[in-house]
């Protein structure tokens, strides 16, 4: 296995916990300030709009469709496959035009772009902000339930204090990711919610690897090392693995962000932030939080 960092490296991560906590506290507070003052730029999924489902005879060129719709001035629009490659779902931002006018404009443009190809408009419906609000609540609840599940899982596998450290670190990762989305005005859509849940899973995986090593060290050291030394040694021993895993994942996600196209652009951007923040919190925040909590008991 490639050894990016020497196995005998001995960085005093816990000794630098004040520095890490200072950075994290500043980023979390800034993110919360942005979230509560600037808010989010909600996409069609949450803000409401018009949904048109179209069945093509053959697989259409989605980029050609996207470019052709620009002159309709229907606001933000998302075009993606829906099941089969020839089933297309078009979501349009809520406009001043009525449902019928919007559907007619889309249908006319599709016929113009598709040429002789037969198309069937299978569904046209308006999604109101109330439905968007329900989706928003479900997205928040999905994130909270996943964090509660993690709290229980880590408590059973390790002990309760470890689960508190892991969940606080995950909150830290999610809040900073959402804060960057608020700062940049990037859209919050359903794929972004999926990306946030992916970040939670990814970051937890890194943290669990470190916690596992701490548990092994505590068992094997037989009291020769104190908790401070055990935690520092465990973070150092897993440092090479953590950075290599995160680095290779980051490269793959970066390729998706640069070349994956418009549909997964927001999803891959959220993952890019999440991987960087999650790796940082796994190394500098999660174990230090557990150590601080244990010391105050």
């Amino acid at each position: 296995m490639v050894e990016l960092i020497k196995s005998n490296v001995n960085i005093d991560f816990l000794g630098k916990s004040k520095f890490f906590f200072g950075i994290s506290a500043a980023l979390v507070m800034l993110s919360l300030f942005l979230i509560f003052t600037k808010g989010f730029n909600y996409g069609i999924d949450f803000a409401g709009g018009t949904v048109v489902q179209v069945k093509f005879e053959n697989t259409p060129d989605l980029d050609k469709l996207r470019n052709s719709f620009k002159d309709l001035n229907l606001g933000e629009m998302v075009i993606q496959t829906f099941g089969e490659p020839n089933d297309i779902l078009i979501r349009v931002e809520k406009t001043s035009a009525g449902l019928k006018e919007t559907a007619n404009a889309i249908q006319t443009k599709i016929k113009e772009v598709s040429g002789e190809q037969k198309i069937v408009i299978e569904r046209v419906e308006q999604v109101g902000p109330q439905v968007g609000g329900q989706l928003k609540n479900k997205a928040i609840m999905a994130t909270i339930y996943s964090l509660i599940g993690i709290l229980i899982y880590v408590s059973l596998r390790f002990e309760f204090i470890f689960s508190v450290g892991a969940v606080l670190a995950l909150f830290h990762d999610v809040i900073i990711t959402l804060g960057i989305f608020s700062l940049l005005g990037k859209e919050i859509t359903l794929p972004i919610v999926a990306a946030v849940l992916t970040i939670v899973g990814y970051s937890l995986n890194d943290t669990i690897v470190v916690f596992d090593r701490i548990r092994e060290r505590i068992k094997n050291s037989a009291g020769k090392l104190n908790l401070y030394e055990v935690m520092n040694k465990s973070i150092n021993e897993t440092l090479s693995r953590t950075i290599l895993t995160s680095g290779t994942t980051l490269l793959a996600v970066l390729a998706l962000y640069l070349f994956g196209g418009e549909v997964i652009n927001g999803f891959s951007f959220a993952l890019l932030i999440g991987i960087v923040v999650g790796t940082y919190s796994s190394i500098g925040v999660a174990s230090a939080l557990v150590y601080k909590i244990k010391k105050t008991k």
Side-chain angles (χ1 to χ4, degrees), residues 41-52 74-78 90-96 99 102 125-136 187-190:
N41 174 21
Y42 288 110
I44 298 167
D45 296 327
F46 297 107
T50 303
V51 176
V52 182
L74 291 174
E76 181 204 339
M77 179 177 281
V78 175
I90 301 169
R91 289 175 293 166
V92 186
E93 193 177 7
K94 195 175 181 181
T95 65
S96 55
L99 182 64
T102 304
E125 60 185 46
Q126 205 143 32
V127 180
Q130 190 180 353
V131 176
Q134 289 172 359
L135 279 174
K136 207 183 301 175
E187 269 192 357
I188 299 290
T189 58
L190 286 178

Side-chain angles (χ1 to χ4, degrees), residues 6 22 26 41 45 63 74 79 92 100 144 200 202 239 260 263 284:
K6 296 287 181 190
N41 174 21
D45 296 327
D63 287 334
L74 291 174
I79 302 175
V92 186
K100 194 175 176 183
I144 292 173
V200 168
Y202 183 86
L239 193 58
V263 174

Side-chain angles (χ1 to χ4, degrees), residues 164-178:
V164 173
V167 169
L168 286 176
L170 293 178
F171 265 118
H172 161 280
D173 301 344
V174 170
I175 288 169
I176 292 175
T177 303
L178 293 177

Side-chain angles (χ1 to χ4, degrees), residues 122-182:
E122 296 195 322
R123 175 166 62 113
V124 180
E125 60 185 46
Q126 205 143 32
V127 180
Q130 190 180 353
V131 176
Q134 289 172 359
L135 279 174
K136 207 183 301 175
N137 291 336
K138 285 180 180 175
I140 293 169
M141 293 311 295
T143 308
I144 292 173
Y145 288 146
S146 66
L147 291 173
I148 292 173
I150 288 165
L151 193 70
I152 296 169
Y153 165 72
V154 180
S155 294
L156 292 174
R157 183 163 174 174
F158 299 95
E159 58 183 283
F160 183 69
I161 290 173
F162 280 83
S163 68
V164 173
V167 169
L168 286 176
L170 293 178
F171 265 118
H172 161 280
D173 301 344
V174 170
I175 288 169
I176 292 175
T177 303
L178 293 177
I180 292 174
F181 264 73
S182 176

Side-chain angles (χ1 to χ4, degrees), residues 97-267:
L99 182 64
K100 194 175 176 183
E101 290 82 359
T102 304
N104 286 340
I106 291 172
Q107 192 167 359
T108 304
K109 181 56 74 176
I110 289 174
K111 283 180 178 172
E112 184 185 314
V113 174
S114 60
E116 296 301 318
Q117 190 175 169
K118 288 180 184 173
I119 59 163
V120 178
I121 305 291
E122 296 195 322
R123 175 166 62 113
V124 180
E125 60 185 46
Q126 205 143 32
V127 180
Q130 190 180 353
V131 176
Q134 289 172 359
L135 279 174
K136 207 183 301 175
N137 291 336
K138 285 180 180 175
I140 293 169
M141 293 311 295
T143 308
I144 292 173
Y145 288 146
S146 66
L147 291 173
I148 292 173
I150 288 165
L151 193 70
I152 296 169
Y153 165 72
V154 180
S155 294
L156 292 174
R157 183 163 174 174
F158 299 95
E159 58 183 283
F160 183 69
I161 290 173
F162 280 83
S163 68
V164 173
V167 169
L168 286 176
L170 293 178
F171 265 118
H172 161 280
D173 301 344
V174 170
I175 288 169
I176 292 175
T177 303
L178 293 177
I180 292 174
F181 264 73
S182 176
L183 175 70
L184 300 178
K186 282 193 162 287
E187 269 192 357
I188 299 290
T189 58
L190 286 178
I192 301 304
V193 176
V196 168
L197 293 174
T198 307
I199 291 166
V200 168
Y202 183 86
S203 180
L204 178 69
N205 180 56
D206 265 354
T207 306
I208 290 290
V209 169
V210 179
F211 284 179
D212 259 336
R213 186 58 63 93
I214 292 171
R215 185 174 55 177
E216 283 173 25
R217 276 269 163 203
I218 290 173
K219 199 184 295 177
N220 297 332
S221 69
K224 292 175 185 170
L225 298 173
N226 60 39
L227 186 62
Y228 185 96
E229 292 167 324
V230 165
M231 285 190 160
N232 255 335
K233 204 163 183 57
S234 302
I235 299 170
N236 278 292
E237 284 174 350
T238 53
L239 193 58
S240 180
R241 177 263 173 209
T242 302
I243 291 177
L244 270 176
T245 307
S246 299
T248 48
T249 312
L250 197 67
L251 286 176
V253 176
L254 183 63
L256 284 178
Y257 176 69
L258 294 175
F259 309 113
E262 189 181 335
V263 174
I264 60 168
N265 186 270
F267 180 83

